[in-house]
């Protein structure tokens, strides 16, 4: 019986364990640092479990940016259609929403995870919780901190699926980075992805509008535009529209120290029309009433105009119309790594072979968010985690067959 250790109980680790357990003669053990597996998976499903996306394959793969070639190879093995079929095999139906996103029929993550864990147990996979990986000892055994003290485990092969560095309270803390760096494994620095950004709001604006959505709006940055909505936070901005542009915004701040997001607060109205409407006499209307009646702008959008233009700037109809169509919003910095939905950076693909084995560490494979890739929300993150777990698990199994 060959013992295989899978370290990390998220989607990538569970999928790797399933692939490894599919072949008789292997004892597969999952070691999870938290009290239960799949905690980030469950949290991601609280607002509706968006498991993947139904868009065309070529567009889907473009979502992975600079690493689309590497992720495409994984999706060739286990892509969105494979993932949906796998979920159906668990006894859970899926449907495609109006946005093209794919969800379990009941929109929940917990039933899927329960069915999956049941199948893994039936296949003989053993789960060990509260086992935090500490690296290797001098003999090459895996070290774990457990409630009963430190233990050492010898494994014929190991799959690392330790997550990125966001949502520390759910287990993804990036503590594995120095452990691999000490073995000369190339690791790109972890950075926030799908994250919010700091903005220097005035105290009045922050107190008045924190927590409010800005919608509808179209945001422009670096030649891209995204329509939707975002949220004003006490620190700055967050939400789906921001996350869609977060990689480019983060990189611009890192490279130049500057990132100015341009907002169209009045989509559907031209600048010329706004200029003409706002130039109409106000009469007895206050400026607030005039903005609402002539341009449909009120509340948080009016507050953003005041933040950008000041009281004097609001009196000039041409300047006001220009700001409504292209309001500059300077961003100061990404929010901290631990607040991000996901992370960029991680184990470099150049350090891995096609099976996702670390070439410097034969028999050690990597999967999931700890690899150096990123993607927007919308099912792309989970799909690549499942795919990488599938490939790493299959790769570890193939490698085991070559060992005597």
């Amino acid at each position: 019986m060959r013992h295989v250790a899978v370290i990390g109980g998220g989607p990538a680790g569970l999928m790797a364990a399933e692939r490894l357990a599919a072949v008789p003669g292997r004892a597969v053990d999952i070691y999870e640092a938290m009290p239960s597996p799949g905690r980030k998976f469950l949290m991601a499903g609280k607002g509706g479990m968006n498991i993947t996306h139904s868009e065309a394959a070529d567009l889907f793969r473009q979502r992975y940016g600079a690493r689309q070639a590497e992720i495409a190879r994984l999706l060739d093995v286990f892509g969105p259609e494979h993932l949906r079929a796998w979920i159906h095999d668990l006894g859970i139906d899926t449907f495609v929403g109006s946005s093209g996103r794919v969800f379990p029929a009941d929109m929940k993550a917990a039933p899927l995870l329960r069915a999956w864990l049941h199948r893994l147990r039936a296949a003989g996979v053993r789960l060990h919780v509260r086992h935090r990986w500490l690296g290797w000892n001098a003999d090459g055994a895996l070290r774990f901190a457990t409630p009963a003290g430190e233990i050492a485990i010898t494994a014929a092969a190991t799959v690392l699926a330790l997550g990125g560095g966001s949502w520390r309270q759910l287990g993804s803390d990036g503590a594995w980075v120095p452990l691999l760096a000490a073995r000369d494994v190339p690791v790109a620095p972890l950075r926030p992805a799908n994250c919010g950004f700091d903005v220097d709001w005035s105290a009045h604006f922050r107190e008045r509008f924190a927590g409010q959505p800005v919608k509808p709006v179209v945001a422009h940055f670096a030649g891209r535009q995204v329509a939707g909505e975002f949220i004003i936070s006490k620190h700055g901005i967050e939400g789906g529209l921001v996350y869609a542009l977060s990689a480019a915004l983060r990189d611009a701040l890192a490279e130049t120290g500057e990132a100015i997001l341009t907002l169209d607060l009045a989509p559907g109205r031209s600048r010329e029309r706004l200029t003409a409407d706002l130039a109409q006499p106000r009469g007895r209307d206050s400026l607030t009433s005039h903005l609402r009646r002539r341009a449909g702008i009120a509340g948080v959008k009016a507050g953003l105009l005041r933040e950008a233009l000041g009281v004097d700037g609001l009196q000039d109809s041409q300047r006001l119309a220009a700001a409504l169509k292209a309001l500059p919003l300077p961003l100061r910095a990404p929010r901290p790594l631990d607040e991000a939905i996901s992370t960029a950076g991680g184990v470099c693909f150049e350090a891995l072979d096609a099976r996702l084995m670390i070439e410097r560490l034969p028999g050690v494979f990597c999967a999931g968010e700890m690899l150096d890739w990123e993607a927007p929300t919308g099912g792309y993150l989970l799909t690549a985690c499942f795919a990488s777990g599938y490939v790493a698990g299959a790769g570890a199994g193939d490698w085991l067959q070559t060992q005597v």
Side-chain angles (χ1 to χ4, degrees), residues 45-278:
K46 279 199 168 181
M49 184 74 260
N50 179 198
I51 201 78
T52 189
H53 204 287
S54 64
E55 66 190 2
D58 57 344
L59 183 57
F60 191 101
R61 294 172 186 209
Q62 290 174 26
R63 308 298 186 182
Y64 297 94
R67 289 299 193 183
Q68 62 182 283
E70 289 84 358
I71 299 300
R73 289 196 290 270
L74 308 180
L75 298 178
D76 285 340
V77 178
F78 194 80
E81 291 304 317
H82 301 99
L83 179 54
R84 291 187 71 183
W86 174 84
I87 294 172
H88 298 161
D89 193 49
L90 281 174
I92 295 173
D93 291 332
T94 61
F95 72 95
V96 180
S98 58
S99 65
R101 298 183 178 196
V102 178
F103 303 87
D106 61 4
M107 299 286 287
K108 297 177 181 178
L112 191 159
L113 182 60
R114 283 197 299 269
W116 194 5
L117 291 173
H118 176 77
R119 185 156 77 183
L120 288 171
R121 285 192 293 269
V125 175
R126 296 173 295 188
L127 174 65
H128 309 270
V129 298
R130 295 188 173 89
H131 279 58
R132 179 173 294 277
W133 184 55
L134 302 176
W136 295 270
N137 65 18
D139 297 324
L142 299 163
R143 298 172 54 214
F144 292 93
T146 78
E150 184 174 325
I151 62 171
I153 300 293
T154 300
T158 302
V159 177
L160 302 177
L162 292 155
S166 64
W167 295 18
R168 179 182 300 267
Q169 73 275 21
L170 301 179
S172 296
D173 57 10
W176 53 267
V177 172
L179 301 178
L180 292 186
R183 295 284 179 127
D184 295 323
V185 177
V187 178
L190 298 182
R191 297 166 292 156
N194 293 297
C195 60
F197 291 84
D198 290 337
V199 178
D200 288 327
W201 300 131
S202 67
H204 171 76
F205 183 86
R206 182 185 301 111
E207 292 168 6
R208 175 73 176 81
F209 296 110
Q212 293 198 22
V214 183
K215 61 180 181 179
V217 65
V218 177
H220 300 260
F221 186 75
R224 287 190 61 199
Q225 70 174 41
V226 178
E229 65 179 86
F230 65 92
I231 305 293
I232 301 295
S233 72
K234 63 181 180 179
H235 301 292
I237 57 173
E238 58 186 36
L241 180 149
V242 178
Y243 302 154
L245 294 168
S246 63
L249 293 166
R250 176 202 66 216
D251 292 347
L253 283 164
E255 292 167 12
T256 69
E258 179 180 81
I260 299 176
L261 188 64
T262 303
L263 303 175
D264 180 353
L265 298 178
R269 296 197 189 199
S270 69
R271 177 174 172 177
E272 292 73 21
R273 178 186 168 188
L274 287 166
T275 301
D277 289 344
L278 291 169

